[in-house]
């Protein structure tokens, strides 16, 4: 388990140790549609179950197609190990339940995807795990909420709708002072940001978005940075320092470095305990689909970023737009974070405030001809949604404002079409929506 020095474009095609299929020499990664694997003999079987040897046992826990994807994503993120799961939601669930048990708490940024908020505020609470929310505008807010039962920090690198880049190193440094790992959801910024390089211990992805990239497959993963010692403070991380009765009394923080020579107890426990017990594996067919997307993710991210910047430049001067939200448009420290943490661009997400409020926002969406109106991000195609009337429609007007969703706010996920065509579609829709809102007023 060593880190690669190769570049993302190369890792995406050659990362991990897959060169060709050992049985057939096929170059494309085969889909291993199997539930189980023939053991060589009874000793071999016993060794695999006892983790004395690593190898395939059952596809709920591991699969050779998924293995190629896992190694490539780990290398892309600068981590040492990766576990794929059935969705991004499963990845967030596993990330927390791998470190917290009933009575524990973790501290999360307030800037989060709505599905993650539901999971953290309601479902995990019912399991006895408390989420404490910290405003990331000041990293010290995380430190203020720590107590003896705090097990992790959690945040998104590039959360929407605010699109304020998270202070990764600042919060990770605070966490490491207290032996608390930082878990980063890097779904919206693969390739352009590597949170592990800035101190994050774990990265989670919804592979459904930019890495899959074509709107065809749901998937998720957890990448272990291999840079966090789970045994330094034994009381802080009991799940890695107390014998696990479900696995012959294994102490994961000790046994995994002995077996693998690396600090990847987080990934091993997620696989052999959580995948074993909670299920939710990524199907190998879906892993194959995501591998096809992964091969071009570096190329696509360049185009997403360059197109989004052109859209930002165009819309910033447009008479029917009140405000454009993009990581490098923020002023002061928040804008500086984009420069510190992002390399090669600022992502494909753009927020806009259409002049004329809710009606103008709705009309704008309806007037778009090329953009798809969908609840997704990170597709190769350009996408748009009006949160006030869709994803956030159950919120009161105060709650909407707190979530950063103003009445005319539209979220754009800029695709990889030609930038002139993207801009032309936005321009004609803005003209159409302004005419309709003027008619409605008169
Ligand atoms: N994290 C972020 C930032 C997301 O945007 C999403 C989905 O939109 C998820 C996690 C959940 O991913 P999935 O839809 O693959 O379960």
């Amino acid at each position: 388990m060593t880190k690669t020095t190769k570049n993302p474009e190369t890792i995406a095609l050659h990362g991990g140790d897959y060169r060709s299929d050992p049985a057939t020499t096929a170059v494309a990664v085969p889909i291993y549609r199997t539930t189980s694997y023939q053991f060589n003999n009874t000793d071999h079987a016993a060794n695999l179950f006892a983790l004395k040897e690593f190898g395939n046992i059952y596809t709920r826990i591991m699969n050779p197609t998924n293995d190629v994807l896992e190694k490539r994503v780990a290398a892309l993120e600068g981590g040492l190990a990766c576990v794929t799961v059935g969705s991004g939601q499963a990845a967030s669930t596993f990330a927390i339940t791998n470190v917290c048990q009933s009575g524990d708490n973790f501290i999360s940024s307030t800037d989060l995807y709505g599905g993650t908020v539901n999971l953290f505020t309601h479902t995990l609470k019912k399991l006895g795990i408390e989420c404490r929310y910290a405003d990331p505008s000041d990293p010290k807010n995380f430190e203020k909420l720590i107590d003896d039962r705090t097990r992790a920090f959690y945040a998104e690198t590039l959360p929407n709708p605010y699109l304020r880049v998270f202070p990764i190193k600042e919060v990770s440094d605070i966490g490491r002072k207290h032996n608390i790992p930082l878990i980063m959801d890097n779904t919206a910024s693969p390739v352009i940001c590597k949170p592990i390089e800035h101190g994050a211990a774990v990265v989670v992805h919804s592979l459904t978005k930019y890495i899959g990239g074509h709107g065809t497959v749901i998937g998720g993963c957890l990448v272990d940075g291999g840079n966090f010692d789970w045994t330094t403070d034994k009381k802080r991380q009991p799940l890695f320092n107390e014998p696990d009765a479900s696995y012959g009394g294994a102490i994961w923080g000790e046994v995994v470095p002995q077996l693998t020579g690396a600090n990847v107890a987080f990934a091993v426990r997620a696989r052999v305990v959580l995948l074993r017990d909670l299920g939710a594996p990524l199907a190998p067919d879906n892993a194959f689909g995501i591998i096809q997307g992964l091969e071009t993710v570096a190329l696509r991210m360049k185009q997403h970023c360059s197109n989004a910047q052109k859209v930002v430049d165009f819309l910033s001067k447009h008479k029917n737009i009140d405000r454009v939200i993009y990581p490098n448009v923020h002023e002061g420290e928040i804008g500086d974070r984009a420069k510190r943490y992002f390399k090669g661009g600022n992502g494909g997400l753009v927020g806009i405030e259409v002049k004329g409020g809710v009606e103008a926002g709705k009309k704008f969406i309806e007037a778009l001809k090329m953009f798809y109106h969908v609840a997704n991000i990170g597709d190769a195609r350009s996408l748009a949604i009006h949160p006030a009337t869709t994803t956030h429609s159950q919120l009161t007007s105060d709650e909407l404002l707190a979530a950063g969703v103003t009445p005319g706010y539209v979220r754009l996920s800029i695709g990889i079409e030609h930038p002139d065509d993207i801009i032309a579609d936005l321009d004609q829709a803005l003209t159409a929506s302004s005419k309709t809102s003027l008619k409605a007023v008169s």
Side-chain angles (χ1 to χ4, degrees):
M1 280 185 202
T2 46
K3 290 195 184 185
T4 176
T5 52
K6 295 228 163 49
N7 294 294
E9 293 81 353
T10 313
I11 292 170
L13 288 156
H14 300 283
D17 49 16
Y18 179 85
R19 180 74 188 154
S20 63
D21 177 39
T24 62
T25 73
V27 171
V29 180
I31 305 172
Y32 288 93
R33 273 196 192 123
T34 184
T35 54
S36 27
Y37 307 85
Q38 163 88 343
F39 303 123
N40 301 337
N41 50 49
T42 48
D43 282 348
H44 178 225
N47 284 345
L48 290 177
F49 275 89
L51 297 182
K52 286 188 185 148
E53 240 179 277
F54 284 110
N56 295 319
I57 299 176
Y58 190 58
T59 282
R60 180 171 4 100
I61 305 166
M62 71 282 282
N63 175 280
T65 309
N66 297 36
D67 183 58
V68 176
L69 175 61
E70 286 162 353
K71 289 195 167 119
R72 287 190 185 163
V73 177
L76 193 68
E77 284 292 348
L80 283 187
C82 172
V83 179
T84 48
V85 289
S87 66
Q89 278 300 111
S92 317
T93 308
F94 275 38
I96 299 303
T97 50
N98 207 25
V99 290
C100 288
Q101 51 196 327
S102 178
D104 291 343
N105 67 72
F106 65 102
I107 300 168
S108 171
S109 166
T110 44
D111 278 4
L112 281 186
Y113 163 59
T116 312
V117 175
N118 276 334
L119 167 69
F120 287 1
T121 306
H122 302 292
T123 300
L124 290 182
K125 187 175 172 199
K126 291 191 176 93
L127 300 178
I129 298 170
E130 181 197 357
C131 176
R132 301 176 172 185
Y133 287 105
D135 177 349
S137 50
D138 182 358
K140 290 198 198 80
N141 290 334
F142 280 74
E143 192 154 34
K144 289 179 194 152
L145 296 173
I146 296 172
D147 71 11
D148 287 352
R149 296 206 61 173
T150 303
R151 307 287 179 234
F153 289 164
Y154 189 100
E156 286 177 27
T157 315
L158 180 58
N160 71 80
Y162 287 112
L163 300 177
R164 301 185 286 213
V165 176
F166 186 75
I168 308 171
K169 179 169 184 331
E170 293 85 337
V171 174
S172 154
D173 284 350
I174 292 171
R176 282 174 185 271
K177 227 168 55 186
H178 299 270
N179 294 300
I180 295 173
L182 172 63
I183 302 167
M184 291 298 309
D185 179 338
N186 199 32
T187 297
S189 42
V191 183
I192 57 173
C193 183
K194 290 189 182 179
I196 290 167
E197 283 182 357
H198 304 291
V202 173
V203 162
V204 299
H205 269 286
S206 164
L207 297 168
T208 315
K209 313 295 190 231
Y210 289 98
I211 292 185
H214 296 82
T216 52
V217 184
I218 300 277
C221 71
L222 305 104
V223 178
D224 188 331
N227 58 0
F228 191 85
D229 187 345
W230 297 89
T231 59
T232 308
D233 182 345
K234 296 193 172 14
K235 289 216 170 87
R236 176 64 75 196
Q237 299 298 341
L239 289 175
F240 291 89
N241 290 287
E242 289 172 4
D244 185 341
S246 82
Y247 224 111
I251 298 176
W252 296 112
E254 290 174 8
V255 80
V256 173
Q258 282 161 17
L259 287 170
T260 63
N263 257 331
V264 290
F266 183 90
V268 171
R269 187 178 186 279
R271 183 183 301 286
V272 302
V273 177
L274 298 188
L275 268 179
R276 180 197 65 180
D277 297 351
L278 302 178
L282 179 69
D285 284 69
N286 288 349
F288 175 82
I290 294 166
I291 288 170
Q292 308 317 300
L294 178 67
E295 291 191 348
T296 57
V297 68
L299 206 58
R300 281 185 285 107
M301 284 312 287
K302 275 186 203 144
Q303 194 67 26
H304 282 297
C305 292
S306 136
N307 283 357
Q309 187 63 58
K310 287 186 177 129
V311 164
V312 168
D313 295 343
F314 171 76
L315 293 179
S316 303
K317 293 182 220 119
H318 202 288
K319 63 180 185 340
N320 299 339
I321 292 284
D322 272 337
R323 194 162 60 113
V324 177
I325 302 152
Y326 196 57
N328 62 358
V329 170
H330 291 292
E331 287 175 357
E333 161 56 18
I334 309 264
D336 286 347
R337 283 183 202 157
K339 288 189 207 125
R340 284 206 303 280
Y341 290 118
F342 282 9
K343 231 164 61 188
N346 290 285
L349 300 179
V350 178
I352 54 174
E353 181 68 37
V354 181
K355 257 194 192 126
V358 172
E359 275 315 303
K362 276 167 63 176
K363 294 292 172 200
F364 168 73
I365 293 271
E366 276 160 21
L368 286 166
K369 293 190 174 130
M370 187 180 79
F371 277 67
Y372 284 89
H373 179 201
V374 294
N376 193 21
I377 58 167
D379 196 311
R381 301 158 191 82
S382 288
L383 317 173
I385 197 158
H386 181 233
T389 52
T390 56
T391 49
H392 291 64
S393 56
Q394 280 90 23
L395 302 190
T396 64
S397 48
D398 283 350
E399 285 170 333
L400 281 173
L401 284 181
V405 177
T406 43
Y409 177 86
V410 171
R411 182 185 74 197
L412 304 174
S413 174
I414 303 299
I416 60 169
E417 301 95 341
H418 195 286
D420 293 350
D421 297 328
I422 296 174
I423 287 172
D425 195 31
L426 292 169
D427 194 28
Q428 67 77 26
L430 283 168
T431 306
S433 63
S434 72
K435 278 191 196 135
T436 331
S437 31
L438 282 179
K439 241 191 265 163
V441 172
S442 59

